């Protein structure tokens, strides 16, 4: 027994000496294996729509600007930026001496090419709505670009921290045409080696990356492991070093395991970034009645959803702004469950015996458990909810055409609050993200006005007012904000968890 | 009337053409009946209408359904299965890249199934209504009842997480490293093999029982042949014929891709390709996968027929006409 103690002690000492050495000098080399929850479908940032694509983009493409772990905007390919007093022009100073992976220089012309590409009507870009207010981009000199807007557009900087700000090599994009996704070329810390569909995507270090001393890793291999349990098991067995999505119902168990001495992995947690709940279609019975929407809402117990169904891996929600995002307001109250109120509303709506409706939900353990919990809560208020499980694409289609009564689906979240609310509750979102079919002139006016303001505290006031209106109108019954988790092997050092959930590996290094 | 093997094969291969034609029509229609707009799925929900129109045109979705079918079928005849909607990857090479993985998995599962099922089936029939028989049946029932995903995860926890003997997932080709290849394939092959073994064992047991009661087996015993010779040379050889039919059907299903097992062990086979294509509404890729599976099932049926005649000389390869 004592001998084991000595051995353990020496291991700890040796470990800390090594760790200290690495912490000082960093450590070069090694292959990091990252597991993704799906196979990234498209590696062209201007065409991609899947959230999982963005994971790979973080290493492959540098953006004009990035966000740090507190969602502050930090320089990346643009070193500084100024916005004109009328809010209609943004001038960006560009980093000098940067090259794309194919040797093409990064300069103002390259930036202009990228925006032209995203706005080209003959190119089916998924980015056009995000950069819609951009009128044109002017290359002032090789180190300066001007983005000219039709009207002030406060979300622009945050938009540039995501796919619209990711710069592709103009030479490579022109040459590859529609095949660019097969041989993507960016200016990020890692360059593309190969993609074997359903097996892996391999990237290797860019030898002359502009940030000195970065990256440390030689190689990153992304592997899609779609089964939740298998992904966790792969991390535990040491077959992968980090996983992008941790199944929420396993969080409690994983927290305990990670806290044990000698645990081979860490569980990292950040505030919530996503929202989740149930869309109620306000254009169709029964939820064209506000009283019935309110009755359903009053039957929901949000603390049970967050703490029992999801075992504490989520916060109860009553707005579109989770606490990991800039527009979050801790003053917003979460209503508690109120069955008498639910009955009262039913009575007022002339449906004292309740009503019945069908809720669409996605397959998968977690969604099913949530749906069943909501079903039984609603039943106690006399509301009969039928659950219909439907495949993702069919669900989006049905809901975009407003053919549903209710549907349970969330949103992955964006660093700028505008995208967490605007397309979801305004006229322009009908047929796309506005699955409630909800419109309200006051809401529209407040949200349009917020887009013109560059001051976040002023914007927050507008979002607060809209939230109050929505909390009464209830086109969306917020239930919870899932917390952002990463499960990381103890070998991984220097990983900074950003609330947007995207894994950035610029500064990561591995111990043996 | 018996026909030469080559003529038989030629006829059967020709017969496949109309079958494949009907299969292709059915696949095409079914996949296009699925709700959801592929173009919208690619461009995201907020896609502007003109961008959607450009993409629909690029994908050929703006043409009438029959034109879309004819373009696709025309390509098939020339060996061109089209391009993935998602990243413009060619369908046929992508498909062919997956075949060895799925084929190896299927072969491994088959091998494991035979190794378990043949001795167990023979013993159970021979020692009918004894402990041997009952325990074999119990094991078979268990094998049939355990869900693939559960067994897969349990094996990963035992052999990869706790014992660290085997990798939890992934695939290494045998050309690259045979040892590592076997280590990646053994768990998924076992998962599939166990279920298959249960099916085969039950089938073998019942056909063995039938055969053991037949006159020629009694004759063989009466001639004073040993139990082993009677069982293996006389009884098993005849009892195995219905089993081959079952195996053929199972193998066809396996070659279509073992979706759940491939997903759990992150094997880049046809099953995973099919699932990802469904998720992504990648019509061209999905049509390719399904058509390929149909083709391999037809081919295996043909193979089963040939094997029949090799095992049992009484079964003759018959042509379409007498």
């Amino acid at each position: 027994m004592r001998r084991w103690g000595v051995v353990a002690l020496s291991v700890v000492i040796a470990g800390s000496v090594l760790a200290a050495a690495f912490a000082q000098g960093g450590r070069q080399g090694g292959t990091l294996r990252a597991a993704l929850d799906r196979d990234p479908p498209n590696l062209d940032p201007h065409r991609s729509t899947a959230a999982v694509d963005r994971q790979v983009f973080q290493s492959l493409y540098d953006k004009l600007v990035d966000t740090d772990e507190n969602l502050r905007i930090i320089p990346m390919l643009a070193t500084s930026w100024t916005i004109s007093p009328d809010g209609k022009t943004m001038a960006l100073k560009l980093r000098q001496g940067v090259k794309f992976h194919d040797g093409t220089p990064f300069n103002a012309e390259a930036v202009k090419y990228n925006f032209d590409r995203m706005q080209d009507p003959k190119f089916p870009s998924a980015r056009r709505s995000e950069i819609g207010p951009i009128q044109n981009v002017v290359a002032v000199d090789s180190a300066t670009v001007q983005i000219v807007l039709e009207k002030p557009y406060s979300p622009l900087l945050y938009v540039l921290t995501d796919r619209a700000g990711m710069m592709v090599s103009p030479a490579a994009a022109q040459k590859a045409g529609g095949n660019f996704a097969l041989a993507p070329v960016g200016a990020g810390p890692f360059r593309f080696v190969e993609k074997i569909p359903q097996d892996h995507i391999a990237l290797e270090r860019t030898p002359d990356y502009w940030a000195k001393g970065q990256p440390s890793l030689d190689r990153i291999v992304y592997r899609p492991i779609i089964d939740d349990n298998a992904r966790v098991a792969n991390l535990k067995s040491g077959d992968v070093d980090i996983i992008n999505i941790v199944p929420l119902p396993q969080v409690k168990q994983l927290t305990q395991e990670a806290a044990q001495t000698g645990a081979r992995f860490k569980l990292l947690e950040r505030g919530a970034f996503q929202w989740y709940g149930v869309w109620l279609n306000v254009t169709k019975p029964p939820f064209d009645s506000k009283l019935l929407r309110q009755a359903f809402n009053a039957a929901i117990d949000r603390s049970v959803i967050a703490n029992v169904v999801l075992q504490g891996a989520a916060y109860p929600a009553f707005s579109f702004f989770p606490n990991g995002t800039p527009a979050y307001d801790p003053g917003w109250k979460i209503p508690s469950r109120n069955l008498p109120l639910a009955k009262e509303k039913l009575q007022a709506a002339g449906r004292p015996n309740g009503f019945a409706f069908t809720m669409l939900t996605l397959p998968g353990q977690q969604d099913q458990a949530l749906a069943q919990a909501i079903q039984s809560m609603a039943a106690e208020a006399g509301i009969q909810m039928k659950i219909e499980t439907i495949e993702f694409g069919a669900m989006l289609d049905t809901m975009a055409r407003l053919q549903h009564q209710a549907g349970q689906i969330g949103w992955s979240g964006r660093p700028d609050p505008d995208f967490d609310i605007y397309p979801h509750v305004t006229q322009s979102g009908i047929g796309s993200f506005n699955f409630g079919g909800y419109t309200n002139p006051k809401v529209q006016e407040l949200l349009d006005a917020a887009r013109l303001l560059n001051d976040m505290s002023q914007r927050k006031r507008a979002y607060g007012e809209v939230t109050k209106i929505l909390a009464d109108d209830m086109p969306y019954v917020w239930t919870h904000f899932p917390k952002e988790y990463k499960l990381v092997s103890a070998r991984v050092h220097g990983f900074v968890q950003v609330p947007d959930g995207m894994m950035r590996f610029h500064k990561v290094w591995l111990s043996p | 009337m018996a026909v030469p093997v080559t003529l038989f094969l030629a006829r059967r291969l020709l017969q496949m053409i109309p079958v494949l034609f009907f299969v292709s029509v059915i696949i095409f229609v079914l996949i296009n009946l699925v709700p959801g707009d592929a173009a919208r799925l690619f461009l995201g929900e907020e896609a502007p209408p003109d961008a959607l129109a450009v993409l629909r045109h690029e994908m050929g979705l703006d043409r009438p359904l029959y034109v879309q079918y004819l373009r696709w079928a025309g390509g098939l005849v020339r060996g061109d299965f089209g391009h993935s909607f998602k990243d413009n990857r060619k369908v046929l090479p992508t498909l062919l890249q997956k075949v060895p993985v799925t084929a190896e998995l299927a072969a491994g599962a088959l091998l494991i199934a035979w190794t378990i099922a043949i001795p167990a089936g023979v013993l159970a029939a021979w020692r009918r209504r004894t402990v041997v028989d009952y325990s074999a049946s119990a094991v078979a029932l268990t094998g049939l009842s355990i869900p693939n995903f559960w067994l897969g995860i349990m094996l990963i926890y035992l052999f990869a997480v706790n014992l660290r003997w085997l990798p939890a997932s992934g695939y290494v080709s045998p050309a690259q490293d045979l040892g590592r290849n076997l280590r990646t394939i053994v768990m998924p092959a076992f998962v599939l093999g166990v279920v298959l073994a249960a099916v085969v064992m039950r089938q073998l047991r019942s056909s063995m029982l039938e055969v053991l009661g037949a006159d020629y087996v009694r004759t063989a015993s009466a001639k004073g042949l040993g139990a082993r010779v009677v069982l293996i040379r006389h009884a098993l050889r005849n009892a195995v014929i219905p089993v081959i039919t079952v195996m053929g059907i199972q193998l066809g299903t396996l070659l279509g891709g073992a979706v759940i097992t491939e997903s759990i062990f992150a094997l880049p086979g046809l099953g995973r390709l099919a699932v990802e294509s469904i998720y992504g509404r990648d019509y061209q890729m999905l049509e390719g996968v399904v058509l390929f599976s149909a083709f391999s099932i037809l081919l295996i049926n043909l193979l089963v027929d040939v094997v029949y005649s090799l095992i049992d000389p009484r079964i003759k390869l018959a042509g379409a006409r007498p």
Side-chain angles (χ1 to χ4, degrees):
Chain A
M1 205 56 210
R2 188 168 295 164
R3 214 173 44 178
W4 283 112
V6 174
V7 172
L9 191 66
S10 3
V11 169
V12 169
I13 292 171
S16 16
V17 169
L18 280 174
F22 292 150
Q24 274 186 348
R27 190 191 138 80
Q28 292 294 312
T31 298
L32 180 117
R33 298 149 307 162
L36 304 175
D37 64 308
R38 262 192 69 190
D39 194 28
N42 191 317
L43 295 182
D44 181 340
H46 301 159
R47 294 190 70 157
S48 146
T49 52
V52 70
D53 290 336
R54 292 162 63 200
Q55 295 288 359
V56 181
F57 294 162
Q58 306 304 320
S59 301
L60 205 47
Y61 300 102
D62 268 1
K63 315 156 202 175
L64 290 173
V65 286
D66 200 8
T67 50
D68 67 4
E69 66 269 32
N70 298 311
L71 289 182
R72 279 182 306 233
I73 291 170
I74 51 172
M76 204 170 203
L77 289 175
T79 52
S80 64
W81 47 91
T82 48
I83 296 166
S84 66
D86 67 355
K88 283 162 79 171
T89 312
M90 183 190 282
L92 296 159
K93 278 280 170 215
L94 304 178
R95 198 173 291 283
Q96 294 293 283
V98 176
K99 281 192 163 58
F100 289 102
H101 302 149
D102 62 347
T104 309
F106 168 76
N107 52 29
E109 283 301 327
V111 175
K112 182 173 167 47
Y113 171 83
N114 270 272
F115 281 97
D116 289 350
R117 183 176 191 248
M118 286 182 260
Q119 290 194 313
D120 180 357
K122 288 201 281 301
F123 178 74
S125 158
R127 302 281 79 80
R128 278 169 57 198
S129 54
E130 294 160 24
I131 58 164
I134 295 183
Q135 213 163 45
N136 64 333
V137 174
V138 185
V140 180
D141 56 58
S142 81
T144 318
V145 282
Q146 256 182 8
I147 298 177
V148 184
L149 300 162
E150 283 160 13
K151 54 184 178 192
Y153 182 52
S154 56
L156 183 61
L157 267 176
Y158 274 119
V159 165
L160 299 183
T161 68
D162 196 359
R163 288 164 289 192
M166 292 180 182
M167 296 290 110
V168 306
S169 158
Q174 267 158 345
K175 208 174 114 199
N179 287 323
F180 183 72
L182 298 180
V185 180
F190 296 89
R191 61 186 180 197
F192 181 75
V193 179
E194 63 174 353
K195 174 182 176 184
I196 308 292
Q198 284 86 48
D199 192 47
H200 71 267
I201 294 170
L203 309 182
E204 64 180 10
R205 95 205 314 284
T206 308
D208 47 1
Y209 186 60
W210 57 266
K212 287 287 155 274
Q214 290 180 24
S216 295
L217 300 165
D218 286 329
R219 226 173 147 88
I220 303 174
V221 176
Y222 294 93
R223 291 185 40 207
I225 302 178
I226 52 185
D227 185 89
D228 279 347
N229 294 310
R231 203 161 54 248
V232 173
N234 271 267
L235 188 112
K236 286 185 180 176
S237 72
D239 287 79
V240 298
D241 303 306
I242 185 166
I243 68 176
N244 73 322
I245 289 185
V246 181
L248 296 186
Q250 291 188 31
V251 161
K252 210 170 178 179
Q253 164 84 18
L254 290 169
T255 311
Q256 285 166 4
E257 287 179 42
Q260 283 165 7
T261 42
R264 288 187 284 228
F265 57 84
K266 304 169 270 194
L267 182 68
L268 308 180
E269 184 191 318
R270 268 268 167 196
F273 198 68
Q274 312 171 24
W275 44 257
Y276 214 91
V278 183
W279 281 108
L280 303 179
N281 183 353
V282 304
T283 68
K284 254 175 97 164
F287 291 120
D288 51 353
S289 154
K290 178 166 151 180
L291 288 166
L292 294 185
R293 298 199 293 272
Q294 289 173 332
F296 175 64
N297 178 60
I300 305 296
D301 191 332
R302 293 173 163 79
S303 64
V304 165
I305 289 176
N307 299 318
V308 181
V309 183
L310 297 172
Q311 300 191 37
Y315 299 100
F318 207 58
S319 79
F320 281 127
F321 306 107
N323 65 355
T325 63
Y328 169 71
D329 184 340
W332 290 329
K333 277 216 184 58
I334 311 290
S336 50
R337 187 182 198 212
N338 192 339
L339 281 181
L341 178 68
K343 302 254 185 200
E344 217 175 275
K345 298 280 181 188
L346 287 174
Q347 190 84 41
R351 307 282 280 273
N353 299 320
F355 63 99
F357 72 99
T358 301
M359 183 180 84
L360 304 181
T361 187
L362 296 170
Q365 214 181 331
Q366 198 169 305
D367 281 291
Q368 297 295 315
L370 286 167
Q372 283 161 11
I374 291 171
Q375 185 182 43
S376 66
M377 289 170 187
E380 282 173 44
I383 302 169
Q384 303 307 319
M385 185 180 104
K386 210 181 125 215
I387 300 172
E388 190 182 323
T389 305
I390 180 170
E391 178 268 335
F392 184 63
M395 180 161 178
L396 289 185
D397 190 58
T398 310
M399 289 178 56
R401 290 187 293 115
L402 298 174
Q403 297 296 308
H404 61 301
Q405 291 180 312
Q408 175 179 261
I409 198 166
W411 173 243
S412 58
R414 294 287 183 274
D416 192 278
D418 183 74
F419 293 98
D420 285 336
I421 189 165
Y422 192 96
H424 307 280
V425 291
T426 57
Q427 180 67 43
S428 65
I430 290 189
S432 60
F433 288 112
N434 186 345
F435 296 133
Y438 172 82
T439 51
N440 180 330
K442 185 72 190 153
V443 166
Q444 183 85 44
E445 187 192 312
L446 284 163
L447 291 180
D448 281 333
R451 281 191 161 181
L452 306 179
L453 300 167
N454 276 318
D455 178 58
M456 188 58 83
S457 60
Q458 286 180 350
R459 289 175 67 189
K460 265 175 85 165
R461 219 171 301 141
Y463 295 134
E465 271 186 68
V466 176
T467 300
K468 242 183 262 157
I469 299 172
L470 294 175
D472 184 54
D473 274 350
M474 284 284 116
Y476 189 68
V477 180
W478 305 287
T479 56
H480 62 281
F481 299 135
K483 295 179 192 172
E484 153 61 20
Y485 291 97
K486 289 284 175 278
L487 199 56
V488 187
S489 150
R491 296 175 65 216
V492 174
H493 306 272
F495 177 75
V496 178
Q497 192 190 15
V498 179
D500 65 7
M502 294 298 135
M503 303 184 291
R504 293 157 171 87
F505 295 131
H506 305 54
K507 297 174 185 167
V508 165
W509 51 278
L510 293 170
S511 52
Chain B
M1 205 38 165
V3 291
V5 176
T6 42
L7 188 60
F8 165 79
L9 284 179
R11 268 190 195 156
R12 283 288 296 264
L13 285 170
L14 277 176
Q15 281 170 9
M16 279 188 196
I17 293 171
V19 176
L20 283 173
F21 167 72
F22 282 115
V23 168
S24 77
V25 173
I26 291 167
I27 292 168
F28 187 83
V29 171
L30 281 183
I31 287 176
N32 280 282
L33 277 181
V34 177
D37 177 353
R40 188 179 287 283
L41 212 66
F42 289 114
L43 277 191
E45 287 91 282
E46 226 186 342
D50 56 338
L52 277 173
V54 170
L55 187 62
R56 282 205 191 96
H57 182 73
E58 199 183 277
M59 291 157 89
L61 293 175
D62 54 348
R63 293 173 186 77
L65 211 57
Y66 76 94
V67 177
Q68 290 183 43
Y69 173 78
L70 288 178
R71 283 162 61 105
W72 178 59
L76 290 179
V77 174
R78 294 189 307 270
D80 176 10
F81 278 52
H83 290 78
S84 159
F85 281 172
K86 279 189 297 190
D87 58 5
N88 222 23
R89 202 175 287 275
K90 277 196 162 125
V91 169
L92 192 58
T94 310
L95 247 167
L96 293 177
Q97 205 178 24
K98 309 287 171 195
V99 173
V101 183
T102 299
E104 189 187 352
L105 181 61
L110 218 54
L111 194 72
I112 287 168
W114 283 79
T115 319
I116 301 173
I118 292 185
V122 172
L123 275 178
W126 188 42
R127 295 260 178 259
R128 180 157 56 129
R129 302 221 176 105
T130 64
V131 181
V132 179
D133 185 19
Y134 293 134
S135 31
S137 297
V139 170
L141 198 64
T142 317
L144 275 177
S145 319
I146 292 179
N148 271 352
F149 63 89
W150 186 84
L151 182 61
I153 289 291
M154 288 303 125
L155 289 180
I156 291 177
Y157 269 95
L158 180 60
F159 292 107
V161 177
N162 290 329
L163 298 171
R164 302 213 158 200
W165 290 352
L166 295 168
S169 65
Y171 182 75
V172 179
S173 83
Q176 202 184 334
D177 184 336
L178 186 61
R180 283 177 61 204
N181 168 263
L182 291 176
R183 281 157 48 86
T184 54
I185 213 80
V186 62
M187 279 199 284
F190 183 79
V191 169
L192 289 173
V194 164
V195 180
L196 194 54
V199 179
V200 173
M201 182 258 158
R202 283 157 60 106
Q203 177 68 47
L204 185 62
R205 177 183 174 274
S206 66
S207 60
M208 273 298 273
L209 282 178
E210 215 171 284
V211 170
L212 285 177
D215 289 342
Y216 63 87
V217 171
R218 231 173 302 142
T219 313
S221 296
K223 280 198 301 187
L225 294 174
R228 236 177 68 189
V229 179
V230 173
L231 269 182
I232 310 287
R233 290 259 302 272
H234 294 256
L236 181 60
R237 188 164 173 160
N238 290 292
V240 91
I241 289 172
V243 176
I244 288 173
T245 316
V246 175
M247 296 285 267
I249 295 168
Q250 297 280 344
L251 186 63
T253 325
L254 284 180
L255 284 184
V259 173
I260 294 169
T261 308
E262 285 182 6
S263 297
I264 287 173
F265 291 95
L267 286 176
L270 285 172
R272 284 276 307 291
L273 185 63
V275 172
E276 293 279 352
S277 313
I278 293 169
Y279 271 139
R281 282 287 189 286
D282 200 345
Y283 293 173
Q284 300 260 296
M285 191 62 84
L286 187 57
E287 282 157 359
V289 178
V290 180
L291 194 65
F292 184 84
S293 306
F295 179 68
S296 45
I297 289 174
L298 289 177
L299 215 57
I300 286 166
N301 278 342
L302 176 59
L303 207 68
V304 166
D305 287 351
V306 174
V307 172
Y308 274 169
S309 71
L310 294 181
I311 293 182
D312 187 346
R314 285 173 307 172
I315 299 174
K316 297 279 182 272
L317 296 173
R321 275 159 290 155

